[in-house]
Amino acid sequence: ATPQYSKAVGVRINTMTIPIDSTGFLTTTYALEAKTVGISTTAYNATPTDWTTSASTPFDGLQLNSADVKIGGSSVGYISKGSISIAAGLGGTDYRVGSGGARGSLVPGSAYKVTGSLDLALDSAAVLTLLQSGSTPVALDFTWTQATHETFQVVVPRAFIQKTGPALTGPGALMVTATFNAAYDTSTGSSIKFVTSNQTDNALYI
């Protein structure tokens, strides 16, 4: 069989999704958009660079030892799982006459959209208070720890939380799903912030 090689040009990240779990590996997923994609029967690069991964590099494969969630600055224990999504709003359908199949533009939208979902255990009054605060923004802080001084943190400084469906019954706790939408926070100048620390004490990368 004749091998085929593809080459994407003008690639941008359109969406990024981060799972919220307490154990296992923290695995982020990305959706990419390209201006053009070429197909060839010969390799575009005879000696491509192999991007090796490391267990100590948070974005490559962070094995979790513990996870912590803060809402409004206070640690909570009623979140079972969830996810955080960032969408750039690229114009992936912007094809134009005479462009030879290339997209016309991959410029991000007017604002990055940060959303997410949370599965909440209805075992405390704090959950009901949170679900009733739909019009009042809260700060979300998710921190995953691999070892001493090795953490990955996602901060959403201003989020609006809303219940999306009926409570789910089961053999354990009563669960309910909520979604959140992030808004731009003027005090921090962001709608989402990533903070990583490595093995060096007090070394932060924001």
Side-chain angles (χ1 to χ4, degrees):
T2 302
Q4 282 196 335
Y5 302 88
S6 62
K7 180 181 180 180
V9 178
V11 177
R12 288 177 180 263
I13 295 176
N14 191 27
T15 62
M16 174 183 179
T17 302
I18 306 166
I20 301 171
D21 287 308
S22 59
T23 59
F25 277 85
L26 179 65
T27 305
T28 57
T29 57
Y30 302 87
L32 308 177
E33 297 279 2
K35 292 252 319 172
T36 61
V37 177
I39 303 295
S40 175
T41 56
T42 57
Y44 290 95
N45 189 335
T47 56
T49 300
D50 182 16
W51 184 27
T52 57
T53 60
S54 170
S56 62
T57 305
F59 275 98
D60 291 345
L62 178 61
Q63 186 171 3
L64 307 178
N65 285 334
S66 64
D68 178 66
V69 179
K70 290 184 176 67
I71 296 181
S74 300
S75 294
V76 299
Y78 49 71
I79 295 179
S80 172
K81 61 180 180 178
S83 66
I84 306 169
S85 298
I86 306 171
L90 300 180
T93 59
D94 184 15
Y95 294 98
R96 303 180 186 181
V97 176
S99 65
R103 290 185 170 99
S105 174
L106 281 181
V107 177
S110 58
Y112 286 85
K113 187 176 181 181
V114 180
T115 60
S117 66
L118 301 171
D119 285 0
L120 310 173
L122 293 173
D123 55 7
S124 75
V127 180
L128 297 178
T129 301
L130 177 67
L131 295 175
Q132 292 171 354
S133 67
S135 60
T136 303
V138 296
L140 304 177
D141 186 324
F142 306 92
T143 302
W144 293 271
T145 300
Q146 183 181 24
T148 304
H149 308 311
E150 296 180 35
T151 61
F152 176 60
Q153 181 183 17
V154 180
V155 179
V156 180
R158 196 164 182 261
F160 294 87
I161 296 179
Q162 186 176 31
K163 178 178 175 294
T164 59
L168 305 178
T169 59
L174 192 64
M175 306 296 296
V176 65
T177 299
T179 60
F180 66 84
N181 292 280
Y184 182 77
D185 181 63
T186 55
S187 62
T188 62
S190 65
S191 56
I192 190 169
K193 181 171 63 174
F194 299 91
V195 182
T196 62
S197 64
N198 59 17
Q199 294 92 339
T200 304
D201 192 10
N202 297 324
L204 300 179
Y205 306 90
I206 302 175

